[in-house]
Amino acid sequence: MNKRIPEKLSSSQIDAGVKLAMKKAIERHHRLVESISIWQNGQVVTLQQFSGK
């Protein structure tokens, strides 16, 4: 399951990995109906998740 990490990664590969991790974290918090904190405009902002479907 774990993929071998190449010794050298390009900045675009790193960016893609970070974006994928962020997407997975947001999906997980949404699925579990949890809030999530993010960094926005130089401040920590907590986004509330509501279960109203």
Side-chain angles (χ1 to χ4, degrees):
M1 182 169 209
N2 291 334
K3 294 182 180 178
R4 180 177 160 87
I5 300 173
E7 291 192 27
K8 293 185 180 182
L9 295 173
S10 69
S11 61
S12 62
Q13 289 173 310
I14 294 169
D15 287 345
V18 169
K19 287 178 183 178
L20 178 61
M22 289 171 43
K23 181 180 181 221
K24 286 182 177 183
I26 291 168
E27 288 173 351
R28 179 181 180 273
H29 283 268
H30 180 75
R31 187 176 63 252
L32 297 175
V33 191
E34 296 178 339
S35 61
I36 189 168
S37 296
I38 62 169
W39 187 261
Q40 186 176 47
N41 299 326
Q43 296 182 341
V44 176
V45 177
T46 300
L47 304 175
Q48 300 297 323
Q49 178 63 40
F50 299 101
S51 61
K53 289 185 178 181

